[in-house]
């Protein structure tokens, strides 16, 4: 949903800011009040055609900014990711700038994009209903989505089934195409898979390793600074004259004795004793750390080399160790199949025919459901049109 609109130097608008809350919002006013200007500005920010005469007289440029909440727009979030746009959580800021000299620029969350990308995204975000405005109802690719959404879960289940059957068919089809491609291509693929599997196996990758290595590297690179900090703390606690621990121990003894004579000091005496014990534990921990902190150039070099190796694997096989291991599992499965002797083309052709039959059956069930429910959808929509005094209207899906 739109959450904010800012219009600067567009038509006769100098500066206009509108904040929208969840629910229904109506723009009202007499003819000429500027309602259409606001809608035109929104259209600009959604990819409508821009021209220099839209800029306010005497200004160099006009700007429209839209802020959109994507919480209920998963399709828009997916489109942003596919287009290289960071949705920044669930918020999107669209800025359209029109020059008085002609031309316009678009930025989405600060990233420059083309008007074509903006127009596609705008179709997923806002529907402008007007005499001459674009309506997603007129887009055949969106019409089937509206019907499926109206049908509900039954349609979603069947669509998922069709997608699953299609994927299964495509996997067999690709394998058959590979089989037909010839021994040279198979040999090249086999060599690549063997190299990839061996490289990842030899690296012995495990999840979370990079974070552990980076922490260890930071510690090894700064061991001298850490030793100085730990040693200084220990000196303050134990080795200085007088030391903090000696002073605290003396205070604890004195107040403990006083508490025997004045019960109101008992709580304070207990706090001092607890602090003394905690300080002793802290000092022992610091002493252990100091004993373990030693400069280790070999370990430092090994950690840096391991990080470099993992980074090279990430660039080739996945964004993190989990993705690399997933790639390994997939490559091993394909390699096992190729090395064990792939199915002959006859068996693959038979499997492809069976998969196509299953896909056709799933498609037929989906088509049957859509066709049946489309009639109900049409009748219910027509009833609403009649309620709007459009007695002669016809509506068919």
């Amino acid at each position: 949903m739109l959450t904010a609109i800012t219009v600067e130097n567009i038509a006769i608008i100098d500066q206009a800011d509108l904040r929208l809350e969840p629910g229904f919002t109506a723009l009202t006013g007499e003819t000429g009040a500027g309602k259409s200007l606001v809608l035109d500005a929104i259209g600009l920010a959604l990819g409508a055609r821009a021209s220099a005469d839209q800029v306010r007289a005497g200004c160099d440029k006009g700007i429209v900014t839209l802020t959109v909440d994507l919480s209920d727009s998963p399709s828009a979030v997916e489109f942003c990711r596919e287009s290289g746009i960071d949705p920044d959580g669930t918020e999107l800021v669209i800025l359209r700038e029109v020059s008085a000299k002609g031309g316009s620029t678009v930025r989405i969350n600060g990233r420059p994009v083309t008007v074509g990308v903006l127009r596609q995204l705008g179709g997923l975000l806002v529907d402008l209903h007007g005499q001459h405005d674009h309506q997603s109802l007129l887009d055949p690719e969106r019409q089937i989505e509206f019907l499926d959404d109206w049908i509900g879960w039954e349609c979603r289940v069947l669509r998922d089934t069709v997608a699953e059957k299609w994927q299964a068919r495509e996997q067999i089809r690709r394998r058959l195409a590979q089989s037909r491609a010839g021994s040279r291509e198979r040999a090249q693929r086999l060599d690549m898979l063997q190299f990839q599997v061996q490289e990842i196996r030899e690296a012995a990758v495990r999840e979370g390793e990079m974070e552990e290595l980076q922490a260890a590297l930071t510690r090894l690179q700064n061991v001298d600074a850490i030793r100085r900090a730990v040693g200084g703390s220990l000196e303050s606690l134990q080795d200085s004259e007088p030391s903090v621990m000696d002073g605290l121990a003396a205070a604890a003894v004195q107040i403990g004795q006083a508490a025997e004579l004045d019960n109101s000091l008992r709580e304070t005496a207990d706090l001092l004793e607890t602090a003394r014990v905690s300080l002793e534990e802290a000092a022992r921990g610091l002493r252990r750390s100091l004993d373990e902190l030693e400069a280790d150039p070999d370990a430092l070099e090994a950690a840096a080399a391991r990080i470099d190796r993992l980074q090279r694997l990430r660039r080739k096989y996945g964004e993190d160790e989990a993705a690399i291991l997933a790639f390994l599992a997939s490559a091993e499965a394909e390699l096992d199949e190729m090395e064990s002797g792939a199915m002959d083309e006859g068996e693959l052709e038979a499997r492809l025919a069976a998969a196509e039959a299953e896909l056709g059956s799933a498609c037929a069930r989906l088509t049957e459901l859509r066709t049946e429910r489309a009639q109900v959808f049409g009748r219910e929509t027509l009833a609403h049109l009649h309620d709007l005094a459009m007695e002669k209207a016809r509506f068919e899906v």
Side-chain angles (χ1 to χ4, degrees):
M1 61 166 282
L2 294 181
T3 58
I5 306 165
T6 300
V7 184
E8 303 175 56
N9 300 326
I10 295 293
I12 61 172
I13 298 176
D14 177 16
Q15 172 84 30
D17 293 291
L18 179 62
R19 297 292 180 268
L20 302 173
E21 298 295 333
F24 180 76
T25 300
L27 297 178
T28 65
E30 298 179 358
T31 301
K35 302 184 296 296
S36 296
L37 289 180
V38 175
L39 291 178
D40 290 344
I42 294 175
L44 261 181
L46 296 175
R49 182 178 177 275
S51 63
D53 57 13
Q54 291 171 301
V55 180
R56 187 167 179 259
C59 298
D60 295 330
K61 60 185 178 181
I63 300 174
V64 182
T65 306
L66 294 187
T67 304
V68 186
D69 183 356
L70 301 180
S71 300
D72 297 323
S73 302
S75 58
V77 173
E78 183 63 24
F79 177 84
C80 287
R81 288 174 178 158
E82 291 175 354
S83 303
I85 301 168
D86 182 7
D88 190 20
T90 59
E91 185 175 84
L92 208 65
V93 178
I94 301 171
L95 185 145
R96 182 83 182 272
E97 183 178 296
V98 183
S99 172
K101 297 180 181 179
S104 69
T105 58
V106 180
R107 289 184 178 273
I108 300 179
N109 280 7
R111 181 183 182 276
V113 301
T114 65
V115 175
V117 169
L118 174 62
R119 193 173 294 121
Q120 293 181 65
L121 178 59
L124 299 172
L125 296 176
V126 176
D127 213 4
L128 290 175
H129 297 274
Q131 186 175 1
H132 304 293
D133 290 323
H134 163 77
Q135 299 181 32
S136 58
L137 283 174
L138 302 180
D139 182 356
E141 293 186 4
R142 297 295 304 279
Q143 291 169 357
I144 196 77
E145 295 180 15
F146 292 132
L147 177 62
D148 288 351
D149 288 343
W150 180 82
I151 294 172
W153 69 270
E154 288 181 90
C155 191
R156 288 194 295 272
V157 170
L158 278 177
R159 281 177 55 158
D160 290 344
T161 301
V162 168
E164 178 185 334
K165 299 299 182 184
W166 184 86
Q167 290 284 1
R169 192 276 305 269
E170 285 300 290
Q171 184 178 12
I172 298 172
R173 188 187 61 77
R174 286 193 297 269
R175 288 169 58 187
L176 181 58
Q178 291 171 357
S179 177
R180 290 170 174 169
S183 59
R184 178 181 300 175
E185 289 77 5
R186 286 198 297 273
Q188 291 174 345
R189 180 63 178 164
L190 187 63
D191 286 344
M192 177 176 289
L193 286 170
Q194 288 171 337
F195 172 79
Q196 291 172 333
V197 168
Q198 181 179 358
E199 184 177 34
I200 299 175
R201 283 177 176 173
E202 288 179 351
V205 176
R206 59 183 178 81
E207 290 190 43
E209 184 179 3
M210 180 65 83
E211 289 73 15
E212 295 175 8
L213 286 167
Q214 288 173 336
L217 185 65
T218 300
R219 181 172 182 268
L220 290 167
Q221 288 174 330
N222 297 279
V223 65
D224 291 338
I226 298 172
R227 283 186 62 85
R228 285 194 298 271
V230 173
S233 297
L234 273 174
E235 184 176 356
S236 297
L237 292 175
Q238 290 183 329
D239 302 333
S240 60
E241 196 59 51
S243 71
V244 173
M245 291 182 63
D246 289 343
L248 182 58
V253 170
Q254 292 172 357
I255 299 301
Q257 292 172 347
E260 298 294 331
L261 305 174
D262 183 355
N263 195 50
S264 66
L265 293 172
R266 174 51 54 196
E267 183 177 355
T268 301
D270 292 342
L271 288 173
L272 285 171
E273 180 62 20
T274 300
R276 184 188 65 78
V277 172
S278 298
L279 203 57
E280 288 180 355
E281 286 293 325
R284 282 193 289 270
L286 290 172
R287 181 67 64 186
R288 286 194 299 270
S289 297
L290 192 61
D291 293 339
E292 295 169 0
L293 281 168
E294 294 291 341
D296 191 341
D298 292 338
L300 179 62
E301 183 178 351
R306 181 63 176 173
I307 288 175
D308 180 67
R309 187 176 189 181
L310 289 178
Q311 287 174 336
R312 283 188 282 110
L313 291 175
R314 283 185 172 193
R315 286 193 294 269
K316 295 170 68 173
Y317 303 119
E319 60 184 13
D320 55 25
E321 290 86 282
I324 295 171
L325 292 173
F327 181 94
L328 173 63
S330 176
E332 286 176 331
E334 186 178 351
L335 183 61
D336 288 343
E337 182 175 303
M338 293 185 71
E339 289 181 334
S340 62
M343 300 177 187
D344 60 34
E345 290 185 12
E347 186 175 352
L348 284 172
E349 288 171 351
R351 289 189 60 183
L352 180 60
E356 287 178 338
E358 291 182 7
L359 174 61
S361 176
C363 288
R365 292 197 303 273
L366 179 57
T367 297
E368 182 181 0
L369 175 66
R370 284 170 170 164
T371 303
E372 175 188 339
R373 297 299 176 84
Q375 306 308 312
V376 181
F377 180 70
R379 288 195 297 271
E380 292 188 5
T381 303
L382 191 58
H384 288 302
L385 292 174
H386 290 168
D387 289 340
L388 295 172
M390 302 183 199
E391 292 83 359
K392 296 183 179 181
R394 293 185 61 192
F395 183 82
E396 296 179 1
V397 181

